[in-house]
Amino acid sequence: MSLMQELAQRALDRGVPLSVQLDVTYRCNERCIHCYLDHDNHGEMTTAEIRNVLDQMAEAGVFFLTLSGGEVFMRRDFFDIVEYARSLMFCIKIKTNAFMIREKEARRLRDLAVHDVQVSIYSHRPEVHDAITLLPGSLKRSIEGIRLLRSHGVKVVIANVLMMQNLNDSAGVKQLATELGVEHTTDPTITPMMDGSRNVLRLGLGVPQLRKVFRDSEMVDNVAEFCASPPARSDDVLREVPCSAGHTACYISPYGDLFPCVQFPLPSGNVRTQMFIDIWRDSEQLNEVRSITLRDLPVCSGCSHVGSCTRCPGLAYMEGNIRGPSTLDCEKSFARTGISSANMLLKHAHQGAHGLVQISMPSAQTSLV
């Protein structure tokens, strides 16, 4: 067991909120076509309110702090927030599009010793990247920001969200990351809007495209698992918790709303009216999340993929059932192994019973919902 795994296990055993993502704003200078946020300002927490929450989080045992948005640099007090958080000894990660980073910002991020800065890059081609962000010149400015950060010794990670618009540019983004001397991650997940709207899912990859992703050794590390049978179910697997959301991690919005995760918008309290630790320990919603193991999932517990699926409980919740399957993850498991999930088999059986048998697997523009 690695040091990080041991730390996470101890936090889980002791009920410690090890990691928090705090979105300081939903405002953004980009309008990414797949973004799940409303970019209006409905009354963000003030600097003083955020400082108070940071104090409470530090006392509760939070160590890893991710500051995100929106675009974090839309807040004039952003560096005041980072500086105060560092004084509390948080290990800080920042998510930004780097559009507003210049020499001064890069130098200060270095001086504040942030752990890393994650920058979303959708394509190495301006016409593709800028068409996704809807901000002309955004790729050029983001790359300039990354170069400045690297010149000051700041660790940078490029995050590439795959969708139909940029599927064929993944290799180019990876090459760009290599040229810039930064790390690179790829994620084929499009998340529903925070308000529950699923319209943006039309941009996501269908099974044929996911198959391409999992077959490409340049895009995934575990491509050898493609077409391999999922591991057998076991009591040990069924006793596991689905993910860290609500167990050792949570998410706080710019308005103080606390959720298990940014992809799991189950309202669990508000730090403007409640103490952070009281929400963490006593929230009825968080305690319900914590009560659920894989054994408690009626469909998934009997699925051949239960030991290897990337099922996101937040996506399942947004699909309508906190204990149900996540169709998006079912599609990933099918694309990776060629074996239908229990959820897919049930849907096909239901469709067949109503004379609606679907012969082919869903395309990029359809869903199994």
Side-chain angles (χ1 to χ4, degrees), residues 7-168:
L7 182 62
Q9 186 60 52
R10 289 190 178 187
L12 180 63
D13 293 341
R14 292 164 174 77
V16 174
L18 184 63
S19 176
V20 172
Q21 176 172 323
L22 170 62
D23 279 3
V24 296
T25 184
Y26 283 162
R27 290 174 288 139
C28 192
N29 50 353
E30 295 182 337
R31 288 294 182 271
C32 297
I33 59 176
H34 64 291
C35 186
Y36 50 83
L37 298 175
D38 165 10
H39 295 301
D40 294 330
N41 182 355
H42 300 288
E44 299 165 357
M45 287 189 287
T46 65
T47 311
E49 286 179 306
I50 290 178
R51 284 189 173 201
N52 181 40
V53 173
L54 292 174
D55 285 334
Q56 294 180 46
M57 286 164 43
E59 186 174 352
V62 175
F63 180 63
F64 297 106
L65 174 64
T66 299
L67 297 175
S68 183
E71 172 48 49
V72 294
F73 286 101
M74 297 292 285
R75 283 194 70 129
R76 294 180 180 272
D77 62 350
F78 180 64
F79 275 118
D80 294 333
I81 294 170
V82 178
E83 185 173 350
Y84 191 75
R86 286 294 294 132
S87 74
L88 296 173
M89 302 303 293
F90 288 113
C91 176
I92 297 177
K93 300 183 178 184
I94 294 172
K95 295 183 179 181
T96 174
N97 56 39
F99 190 97
M100 300 170 71
I101 291 178
R102 291 293 179 261
E103 183 75 26
K104 177 183 177 182
E105 288 77 17
R107 184 170 57 250
R108 194 163 182 194
L109 288 173
R110 175 203 63 195
D111 294 343
L112 287 168
V114 300
H115 183 274
D116 65 60
V117 176
Q118 178 179 301
V119 182
S120 294
I121 298 292
Y122 303 107
S123 173
H124 59 297
R125 296 185 292 159
E127 63 271 23
V128 176
H129 177 93
D130 295 0
I132 290 174
T133 65
L134 302 182
L135 180 62
S138 57
L139 178 61
K140 180 176 182 293
R141 289 284 293 270
S142 292
I143 291 177
E144 289 173 355
I146 291 172
R147 291 189 189 279
L148 281 170
L149 290 169
R150 291 299 301 130
S151 69
H152 287 81
V154 178
K155 179 182 176 182
V156 178
V157 180
I158 282 180
N160 180 19
V161 176
L162 290 182
M163 58 195 93
M164 293 302 297
Q165 285 77 357
N166 66 346
L167 174 61
N168 296 322

Side-chain angles (χ1 to χ4, degrees), residues 245-319:
H247 293 272
T248 60
C250 66
Y251 164 72
I252 300 175
S253 81
Y255 315 119
D257 298 309
L258 190 148
F259 305 100
C261 172
V262 68
Q263 288 190 167
F264 197 164
L266 172 67
S268 304
N270 188 289
V271 295
R272 278 177 152 166
T273 58
Q274 302 164 270
M275 296 293 290
F276 173 81
I277 192 62
D278 290 341
I279 301 174
W280 180 257
R281 290 176 177 171
D282 303 328
S283 164
E284 178 181 342
Q285 294 81 7
L286 290 183
N287 284 325
E288 180 185 7
V289 170
R290 292 175 190 138
S291 72
I292 301 172
T293 65
L294 294 179
R295 188 186 300 278
D296 301 313
L297 309 179
V299 176
C300 298
S301 61
C303 180
S304 62
H305 292 280
V306 68
S308 60
C309 180
T310 59
R311 175 189 177 273
C312 171
L315 293 178
Y317 166 75
M318 296 186 78
E319 196 168 317

